[in-house]
PDB file of all heavy atoms in Angstrom:
ATOM      1  N   SER A 516     111.131  76.927  36.213  1.00 92.00           N
ATOM      2  CA  SER A 516     111.445  76.691  34.799  1.00 92.00           C
ATOM      3  C   SER A 516     112.147  77.877  34.151  1.00 92.00           C
ATOM      4  O   SER A 516     112.643  77.763  33.027  1.00 92.00           O
ATOM      5  CB  SER A 516     110.159  76.375  34.025  1.00 92.00           C
ATOM      6  OG  SER A 516     109.270  77.482  34.082  1.00 92.00           O
ATOM      7  N   GLY A 517     112.161  79.014  34.843  1.00 93.00           N
ATOM      8  CA  GLY A 517     112.813  80.196  34.276  1.00 93.00           C
ATOM      9  C   GLY A 517     111.963  80.941  33.275  1.00 93.00           C
ATOM     10  O   GLY A 517     112.474  81.709  32.461  1.00 93.00           O
ATOM     11  N   GLY A 518     110.644  80.728  33.339  1.00 92.00           N
ATOM     12  CA  GLY A 518     109.759  81.375  32.373  1.00 92.00           C
ATOM     13  C   GLY A 518     109.717  80.620  31.061  1.00 92.00           C
ATOM     14  O   GLY A 518     110.131  79.459  30.983  1.00 92.00           O
ATOM     15  N   ASP A 519     109.277  81.282  30.031  1.00 90.00           N
ATOM     16  CA  ASP A 519     109.059  80.631  28.736  1.00 90.00           C
ATOM     17  C   ASP A 519     109.444  81.590  27.626  1.00 90.00           C
ATOM     18  O   ASP A 519     109.238  82.803  27.737  1.00 90.00           O
ATOM     19  CB  ASP A 519     107.579  80.238  28.625  1.00 90.00           C
ATOM     20  CG  ASP A 519     107.262  79.505  27.347  1.00 90.00           C
ATOM     21  OD1 ASP A 519     108.103  78.706  26.896  1.00 90.00           O
ATOM     22  OD2 ASP A 519     106.172  79.723  26.786  1.00 90.00           O
ATOM     23  N   TRP A 520     109.987  81.039  26.538  1.00 86.00           N
ATOM     24  CA  TRP A 520     110.404  81.894  25.422  1.00 86.00           C
ATOM     25  C   TRP A 520     109.244  82.318  24.537  1.00 86.00           C
ATOM     26  O   TRP A 520     109.347  83.289  23.790  1.00 86.00           O
ATOM     27  CB  TRP A 520     111.459  81.170  24.577  1.00 86.00           C
ATOM     28  CG  TRP A 520     110.935  79.941  23.879  1.00 86.00           C
ATOM     29  CD1 TRP A 520     110.929  78.674  24.362  1.00 86.00           C
ATOM     30  CD2 TRP A 520     110.333  79.870  22.581  1.00 86.00           C
ATOM     31  NE1 TRP A 520     110.365  77.802  23.453  1.00 86.00           N
ATOM     32  CE2 TRP A 520     109.987  78.511  22.351  1.00 86.00           C
ATOM     33  CE3 TRP A 520     110.044  80.807  21.593  1.00 86.00           C
ATOM     34  CZ2 TRP A 520     109.375  78.091  21.175  1.00 86.00           C
ATOM     35  CZ3 TRP A 520     109.433  80.384  20.418  1.00 86.00           C
ATOM     36  CH2 TRP A 520     109.107  79.032  20.226  1.00 86.00           C
ATOM     37  N   MET A 521     108.121  81.596  24.611  1.00 89.00           N
ATOM     38  CA  MET A 521     106.986  81.914  23.740  1.00 89.00           C
ATOM     39  C   MET A 521     106.285  83.194  24.199  1.00 89.00           C
ATOM     40  O   MET A 521     106.320  83.540  25.379  1.00 89.00           O
ATOM     41  CB  MET A 521     106.000  80.754  23.713  1.00 89.00           C
ATOM     42  CG  MET A 521     106.548  79.505  23.064  1.00 89.00           C
ATOM     43  SD  MET A 521     105.267  78.221  22.899  1.00 89.00           S
ATOM     44  CE  MET A 521     106.250  76.873  22.271  1.00 89.00           C
ATOM     45  N   VAL A 522     105.619  83.848  23.270  1.00 89.00           N
ATOM     46  CA  VAL A 522     104.997  85.141  23.557  1.00 89.00           C
ATOM     47  C   VAL A 522     103.804  85.002  24.503  1.00 89.00           C
ATOM     48  O   VAL A 522     103.190  83.947  24.605  1.00 89.00           O
ATOM     49  CB  VAL A 522     104.527  85.831  22.253  1.00 89.00           C
ATOM     50  CG1 VAL A 522     105.694  86.103  21.342  1.00 89.00           C
ATOM     51  CG2 VAL A 522     103.451  85.015  21.543  1.00 89.00           C
ATOM     52  N   GLN A 523     103.514  86.091  25.202  1.00 93.00           N
ATOM     53  CA  GLN A 523     102.286  86.267  25.969  1.00 93.00           C
ATOM     54  C   GLN A 523     102.083  85.246  27.096  1.00 93.00           C
ATOM     55  O   GLN A 523     100.995  84.728  27.283  1.00 93.00           O
ATOM     56  CB  GLN A 523     101.077  86.315  25.029  1.00 93.00           C
ATOM     57  CG  GLN A 523     100.989  87.585  24.210  1.00 93.00           C
ATOM     58  CD  GLN A 523     100.901  88.844  25.066  1.00 93.00           C
ATOM     59  OE1 GLN A 523     100.251  88.852  26.108  1.00 93.00           O
ATOM     60  NE2 GLN A 523     101.561  89.910  24.632  1.00 93.00           N
ATOM     61  N   TYR A 524     103.145  84.973  27.836  1.00 95.00           N
ATOM     62  CA  TYR A 524     103.055  84.397  29.175  1.00 95.00           C
ATOM     63  C   TYR A 524     102.265  83.086  29.255  1.00 95.00           C
ATOM     64  O   TYR A 524     101.362  82.927  30.063  1.00 95.00           O
ATOM     65  CB  TYR A 524     102.462  85.441  30.133  1.00 95.00           C
ATOM     66  CG  TYR A 524     103.121  86.785  29.968  1.00 95.00           C
ATOM     67  CD1 TYR A 524     102.485  87.816  29.283  1.00 95.00           C
ATOM     68  CD2 TYR A 524     104.414  86.996  30.435  1.00 95.00           C
ATOM     69  CE1 TYR A 524     103.115  89.042  29.099  1.00 95.00           C
ATOM     70  CE2 TYR A 524     105.056  88.220  30.249  1.00 95.00           C
ATOM     71  CZ  TYR A 524     104.397  89.234  29.582  1.00 95.00           C
ATOM     72  OH  TYR A 524     105.035  90.431  29.393  1.00 95.00           O
ATOM     73  N   ARG A 525     102.674  82.148  28.412  1.00 95.00           N
ATOM     74  CA  ARG A 525     101.993  80.849  28.357  1.00 95.00           C
ATOM     75  C   ARG A 525     101.940  80.165  29.717  1.00 95.00           C
ATOM     76  O   ARG A 525     100.925  79.555  30.079  1.00 95.00           O
ATOM     77  CB  ARG A 525     102.697  79.945  27.339  1.00 95.00           C
ATOM     78  CG  ARG A 525     102.138  78.532  27.260  1.00 95.00           C
ATOM     79  CD  ARG A 525     102.813  77.726  26.174  1.00 95.00           C
ATOM     80  NE  ARG A 525     104.242  77.615  26.368  1.00 95.00           N
ATOM     81  CZ  ARG A 525     104.929  76.472  26.187  1.00 95.00           C
ATOM     82  NH1 ARG A 525     104.299  75.371  25.841  1.00 95.00           N
ATOM     83  NH2 ARG A 525     106.237  76.445  26.345  1.00 95.00           N
ATOM     84  N   PHE A 526     103.021  80.262  30.485  1.00 96.00           N
ATOM     85  CA  PHE A 526     103.087  79.538  31.757  1.00 96.00           C
ATOM     86  C   PHE A 526     102.186  80.142  32.835  1.00 96.00           C
ATOM     87  O   PHE A 526     101.923  79.502  33.851  1.00 96.00           O
ATOM     88  CB  PHE A 526     104.531  79.497  32.270  1.00 96.00           C
ATOM     89  CG  PHE A 526     105.404  78.511  31.545  1.00 96.00           C
ATOM     90  CD1 PHE A 526     104.918  77.736  30.497  1.00 96.00           C
ATOM     91  CD2 PHE A 526     106.735  78.345  31.902  1.00 96.00           C
ATOM     92  CE1 PHE A 526     105.722  76.830  29.822  1.00 96.00           C
ATOM     93  CE2 PHE A 526     107.550  77.434  31.243  1.00 96.00           C
ATOM     94  CZ  PHE A 526     107.046  76.679  30.194  1.00 96.00           C
ATOM     95  N   ILE A 527     101.709  81.369  32.619  1.00 97.00           N
ATOM     96  CA  ILE A 527     100.841  82.015  33.618  1.00 97.00           C
ATOM     97  C   ILE A 527      99.367  81.706  33.372  1.00 97.00           C
ATOM     98  O   ILE A 527      98.545  81.801  34.291  1.00 97.00           O
ATOM     99  CB  ILE A 527     101.046  83.548  33.618  1.00 97.00           C
ATOM    100  CG1 ILE A 527     102.519  83.896  33.789  1.00 97.00           C
ATOM    101  CG2 ILE A 527     100.223  84.222  34.708  1.00 97.00           C
ATOM    102  CD1 ILE A 527     103.086  83.628  35.147  1.00 97.00           C
ATOM    103  N   ILE A 528      99.013  81.324  32.141  1.00 97.00           N
ATOM    104  CA  ILE A 528      97.601  81.181  31.765  1.00 97.00           C
ATOM    105  C   ILE A 528      96.807  80.294  32.730  1.00 97.00           C
ATOM    106  O   ILE A 528      95.690  80.657  33.119  1.00 97.00           O
ATOM    107  CB  ILE A 528      97.454  80.634  30.321  1.00 97.00           C
ATOM    108  CG1 ILE A 528      98.244  81.475  29.334  1.00 97.00           C
ATOM    109  CG2 ILE A 528      95.982  80.592  29.914  1.00 97.00           C
ATOM    110  CD1 ILE A 528      97.876  82.918  29.306  1.00 97.00           C
ATOM    111  N   PRO A 529      97.313  79.121  33.156  1.00 97.00           N
ATOM    112  CA  PRO A 529      96.510  78.302  34.074  1.00 97.00           C
ATOM    113  C   PRO A 529      96.159  79.002  35.383  1.00 97.00           C
ATOM    114  O   PRO A 529      95.168  78.642  36.035  1.00 97.00           O
ATOM    115  CB  PRO A 529      97.415  77.084  34.335  1.00 97.00           C
ATOM    116  CG  PRO A 529      98.280  77.002  33.118  1.00 97.00           C
ATOM    117  CD  PRO A 529      98.544  78.427  32.738  1.00 97.00           C
ATOM    118  N   ALA A 530      96.949  80.012  35.764  1.00 98.00           N
ATOM    119  CA  ALA A 530      96.671  80.745  37.001  1.00 98.00           C
ATOM    120  C   ALA A 530      95.676  81.882  36.802  1.00 98.00           C
ATOM    121  O   ALA A 530      95.117  82.394  37.779  1.00 98.00           O
ATOM    122  CB  ALA A 530      97.974  81.305  37.584  1.00 98.00           C
ATOM    123  N   VAL A 531      95.439  82.292  35.553  1.00 98.00           N
ATOM    124  CA  VAL A 531      94.603  83.467  35.277  1.00 98.00           C
ATOM    125  C   VAL A 531      93.185  83.343  35.853  1.00 98.00           C
ATOM    126  O   VAL A 531      92.687  84.292  36.476  1.00 98.00           O
ATOM    127  CB  VAL A 531      94.572  83.777  33.763  1.00 98.00           C
ATOM    128  CG1 VAL A 531      93.447  84.757  33.421  1.00 98.00           C
ATOM    129  CG2 VAL A 531      95.910  84.348  33.330  1.00 98.00           C
ATOM    130  N   PRO A 532      92.473  82.209  35.682  1.00 98.00           N
ATOM    131  CA  PRO A 532      91.141  82.109  36.296  1.00 98.00           C
ATOM    132  C   PRO A 532      91.184  82.263  37.815  1.00 98.00           C
ATOM    133  O   PRO A 532      90.274  82.856  38.407  1.00 98.00           O
ATOM    134  CB  PRO A 532      90.675  80.695  35.903  1.00 98.00           C
ATOM    135  CG  PRO A 532      91.504  80.321  34.732  1.00 98.00           C
ATOM    136  CD  PRO A 532      92.822  80.984  34.922  1.00 98.00           C
ATOM    137  N   PHE A 533      92.234  81.774  38.439  1.00 98.00           N
ATOM    138  CA  PHE A 533      92.343  81.806  39.893  1.00 98.00           C
ATOM    139  C   PHE A 533      92.819  83.179  40.374  1.00 98.00           C
ATOM    140  O   PHE A 533      92.430  83.628  41.456  1.00 98.00           O
ATOM    141  CB  PHE A 533      93.253  80.677  40.361  1.00 98.00           C
ATOM    142  CG  PHE A 533      92.715  79.321  39.975  1.00 98.00           C
ATOM    143  CD1 PHE A 533      93.106  78.718  38.782  1.00 98.00           C
ATOM    144  CD2 PHE A 533      91.785  78.680  40.764  1.00 98.00           C
ATOM    145  CE1 PHE A 533      92.585  77.493  38.402  1.00 98.00           C
ATOM    146  CE2 PHE A 533      91.261  77.446  40.397  1.00 98.00           C
ATOM    147  CZ  PHE A 533      91.656  76.852  39.214  1.00 98.00           C
ATOM    148  N   LEU A 534      93.639  83.861  39.567  1.00 98.00           N
ATOM    149  CA  LEU A 534      93.964  85.262  39.847  1.00 98.00           C
ATOM    150  C   LEU A 534      92.706  86.115  39.799  1.00 98.00           C
ATOM    151  O   LEU A 534      92.513  87.017  40.626  1.00 98.00           O
ATOM    152  CB  LEU A 534      94.982  85.782  38.834  1.00 98.00           C
ATOM    153  CG  LEU A 534      96.428  85.287  38.969  1.00 98.00           C
ATOM    154  CD1 LEU A 534      97.228  85.668  37.716  1.00 98.00           C
ATOM    155  CD2 LEU A 534      97.089  85.871  40.203  1.00 98.00           C
ATOM    156  N   SER A 535      91.838  85.820  38.830  1.00 98.00           N
ATOM    157  CA  SER A 535      90.571  86.556  38.693  1.00 98.00           C
ATOM    158  C   SER A 535      89.681  86.331  39.905  1.00 98.00           C
ATOM    159  O   SER A 535      89.093  87.285  40.442  1.00 98.00           O
ATOM    160  CB  SER A 535      89.853  86.108  37.413  1.00 98.00           C
ATOM    161  OG  SER A 535      90.674  86.266  36.276  1.00 98.00           O
ATOM    162  N   LEU A 536      89.587  85.079  40.351  1.00 97.00           N
ATOM    163  CA  LEU A 536      88.792  84.772  41.539  1.00 97.00           C
ATOM    164  C   LEU A 536      89.359  85.460  42.780  1.00 97.00           C
ATOM    165  O   LEU A 536      88.617  86.059  43.571  1.00 97.00           O
ATOM    166  CB  LEU A 536      88.766  83.257  41.769  1.00 97.00           C
ATOM    167  CG  LEU A 536      87.824  82.432  40.898  1.00 97.00           C
ATOM    168  CD1 LEU A 536      88.140  80.950  41.023  1.00 97.00           C
ATOM    169  CD2 LEU A 536      86.359  82.690  41.272  1.00 97.00           C
ATOM    170  N   ALA A 537      90.675  85.391  42.958  1.00 96.00           N
ATOM    171  CA  ALA A 537      91.305  86.000  44.138  1.00 96.00           C
ATOM    172  C   ALA A 537      91.102  87.510  44.151  1.00 96.00           C
ATOM    173  O   ALA A 537      90.820  88.102  45.204  1.00 96.00           O
ATOM    174  CB  ALA A 537      92.799  85.668  44.154  1.00 96.00           C
ATOM    175  N   LEU A 538      91.241  88.145  42.980  1.00 97.00           N
ATOM    176  CA  LEU A 538      91.061  89.588  42.896  1.00 97.00           C
ATOM    177  C   LEU A 538      89.639  89.987  43.264  1.00 97.00           C
ATOM    178  O   LEU A 538      89.423  90.933  44.041  1.00 97.00           O
ATOM    179  CB  LEU A 538      91.404  90.077  41.486  1.00 97.00           C
ATOM    180  CG  LEU A 538      91.148  91.560  41.190  1.00 97.00           C
ATOM    181  CD1 LEU A 538      91.857  92.451  42.205  1.00 97.00           C
ATOM    182  CD2 LEU A 538      91.579  91.914  39.771  1.00 97.00           C
ATOM    183  N   VAL A 539      88.649  89.275  42.752  1.00 96.00           N
ATOM    184  CA  VAL A 539      87.257  89.622  43.034  1.00 96.00           C
ATOM    185  C   VAL A 539      86.903  89.301  44.494  1.00 96.00           C
ATOM    186  O   VAL A 539      86.107  90.003  45.114  1.00 96.00           O
ATOM    187  CB  VAL A 539      86.296  88.911  42.050  1.00 96.00           C
ATOM    188  CG1 VAL A 539      84.840  89.195  42.405  1.00 96.00           C
ATOM    189  CG2 VAL A 539      86.579  89.390  40.622  1.00 96.00           C
ATOM    190  N   PHE A 540      87.494  88.264  45.048  1.00 94.00           N
ATOM    191  CA  PHE A 540      87.354  88.008  46.486  1.00 94.00           C
ATOM    192  C   PHE A 540      87.780  89.241  47.283  1.00 94.00           C
ATOM    193  O   PHE A 540      87.070  89.698  48.191  1.00 94.00           O
ATOM    194  CB  PHE A 540      88.219  86.817  46.905  1.00 94.00           C
ATOM    195  CG  PHE A 540      87.442  85.554  47.153  1.00 94.00           C
ATOM    196  CD1 PHE A 540      87.611  84.447  46.348  1.00 94.00           C
ATOM    197  CD2 PHE A 540      86.550  85.463  48.210  1.00 94.00           C
ATOM    198  CE1 PHE A 540      86.913  83.278  46.564  1.00 94.00           C
ATOM    199  CE2 PHE A 540      85.839  84.294  48.447  1.00 94.00           C
ATOM    200  CZ  PHE A 540      86.022  83.192  47.623  1.00 94.00           C
ATOM    201  N   CYS A 541      88.958  89.783  46.956  1.00 94.00           N
ATOM    202  CA  CYS A 541      89.479  90.953  47.663  1.00 94.00           C
ATOM    203  C   CYS A 541      88.624  92.190  47.407  1.00 94.00           C
ATOM    204  O   CYS A 541      88.371  92.984  48.329  1.00 94.00           O
ATOM    205  CB  CYS A 541      90.929  91.214  47.251  1.00 94.00           C
ATOM    206  SG  CYS A 541      92.081  89.963  47.831  1.00 94.00           S
ATOM    207  N   LEU A 542      88.184  92.368  46.165  1.00 95.00           N
ATOM    208  CA  LEU A 542      87.309  93.502  45.845  1.00 95.00           C
ATOM    209  C   LEU A 542      85.994  93.419  46.623  1.00 95.00           C
ATOM    210  O   LEU A 542      85.496  94.432  47.134  1.00 95.00           O
ATOM    211  CB  LEU A 542      87.014  93.530  44.342  1.00 95.00           C
ATOM    212  CG  LEU A 542      88.099  94.088  43.426  1.00 95.00           C
ATOM    213  CD1 LEU A 542      87.674  93.965  41.977  1.00 95.00           C
ATOM    214  CD2 LEU A 542      88.394  95.538  43.764  1.00 95.00           C
ATOM    215  N   ASN A 543      85.450  92.225  46.709  1.00 94.00           N
ATOM    216  CA  ASN A 543      84.206  92.031  47.454  1.00 94.00           C
ATOM    217  C   ASN A 543      84.386  92.395  48.927  1.00 94.00           C
ATOM    218  O   ASN A 543      83.532  93.053  49.532  1.00 94.00           O
ATOM    219  CB  ASN A 543      83.755  90.576  47.317  1.00 94.00           C
ATOM    220  CG  ASN A 543      82.338  90.358  47.803  1.00 94.00           C
ATOM    221  OD1 ASN A 543      81.436  91.119  47.484  1.00 94.00           O
ATOM    222  ND2 ASN A 543      82.131  89.319  48.591  1.00 94.00           N
ATOM    223  N   GLU A 544      85.505  91.974  49.522  1.00 92.00           N
ATOM    224  CA  GLU A 544      85.811  92.319  50.912  1.00 92.00           C
ATOM    225  C   GLU A 544      85.976  93.828  51.075  1.00 92.00           C
ATOM    226  O   GLU A 544      85.521  94.414  52.062  1.00 92.00           O
ATOM    227  CB  GLU A 544      87.095  91.609  51.361  1.00 92.00           C
ATOM    228  CG  GLU A 544      86.931  90.122  51.598  1.00 92.00           C
ATOM    229  CD  GLU A 544      86.043  89.814  52.784  1.00 92.00           C
ATOM    230  OE1 GLU A 544      86.220  90.441  53.855  1.00 92.00           O
ATOM    231  OE2 GLU A 544      85.141  88.968  52.633  1.00 92.00           O
ATOM    232  N   PHE A 545      86.629  94.457  50.093  1.00 93.00           N
ATOM    233  CA  PHE A 545      86.835  95.913  50.121  1.00 93.00           C
ATOM    234  C   PHE A 545      85.500  96.655  50.067  1.00 93.00           C
ATOM    235  O   PHE A 545      85.274  97.616  50.824  1.00 93.00           O
ATOM    236  CB  PHE A 545      87.724  96.312  48.947  1.00 93.00           C
ATOM    237  CG  PHE A 545      87.984  97.784  48.843  1.00 93.00           C
ATOM    238  CD1 PHE A 545      88.856  98.413  49.727  1.00 93.00           C
ATOM    239  CD2 PHE A 545      87.357  98.547  47.864  1.00 93.00           C
ATOM    240  CE1 PHE A 545      89.099  99.779  49.629  1.00 93.00           C
ATOM    241  CE2 PHE A 545      87.591  99.908  47.759  1.00 93.00           C
ATOM    242  CZ  PHE A 545      88.466 100.530  48.646  1.00 93.00           C
ATOM    243  N   ILE A 546      84.613  96.205  49.187  1.00 93.00           N
ATOM    244  CA  ILE A 546      83.297  96.839  49.048  1.00 93.00           C
ATOM    245  C   ILE A 546      82.488  96.697  50.333  1.00 93.00           C
ATOM    246  O   ILE A 546      81.833  97.661  50.790  1.00 93.00           O
ATOM    247  CB  ILE A 546      82.534  96.228  47.848  1.00 93.00           C
ATOM    248  CG1 ILE A 546      83.201  96.644  46.539  1.00 93.00           C
ATOM    249  CG2 ILE A 546      81.072  96.642  47.856  1.00 93.00           C
ATOM    250  CD1 ILE A 546      82.744  95.860  45.329  1.00 93.00           C
ATOM    251  N   ILE A 547      82.544  95.522  50.933  1.00 91.00           N
ATOM    252  CA  ILE A 547      81.801  95.272  52.179  1.00 91.00           C
ATOM    253  C   ILE A 547      82.398  96.085  53.331  1.00 91.00           C
ATOM    254  O   ILE A 547      81.669  96.739  54.102  1.00 91.00           O
ATOM    255  CB  ILE A 547      81.816  93.772  52.529  1.00 91.00           C
ATOM    256  CG1 ILE A 547      81.005  92.979  51.497  1.00 91.00           C
ATOM    257  CG2 ILE A 547      81.240  93.535  53.932  1.00 91.00           C
ATOM    258  CD1 ILE A 547      81.159  91.481  51.616  1.00 91.00           C
ATOM    259  N   LEU A 548      83.722  96.070  53.462  1.00 89.00           N
ATOM    260  CA  LEU A 548      84.396  96.765  54.565  1.00 89.00           C
ATOM    261  C   LEU A 548      84.173  98.274  54.499  1.00 89.00           C
ATOM    262  O   LEU A 548      83.916  98.928  55.517  1.00 89.00           O
ATOM    263  CB  LEU A 548      85.890  96.456  54.532  1.00 89.00           C
ATOM    264  CG  LEU A 548      86.732  97.042  55.674  1.00 89.00           C
ATOM    265  CD1 LEU A 548      86.336  96.406  57.008  1.00 89.00           C
ATOM    266  CD2 LEU A 548      88.221  96.822  55.409  1.00 89.00           C
TER     267      LEU A 548
END
């Protein structure tokens, strides 16, 4: 879509919960390793 003209990354918001999950998955692996 080429991004969005509206402020603060509207098109990314639906991915934010899943970015949070993926990041903590990696952090958990890092802590264990």
Side-chain angles (χ1 to χ4, degrees):
S516 62
D519 182 37
W520 65 270
M521 294 186 185
V522 298
Q523 289 301 322
Y524 313 103
R525 176 176 59 137
F526 284 1
I527 307 289
I528 307 302
V531 166
F533 299 93
L534 287 168
S535 304
L536 282 167
L538 175 55
V539 176
F540 255 115
C541 291
L542 282 177
N543 192 46
E544 287 293 314
F545 179 74
I546 291 167
I547 293 170
L548 184 66

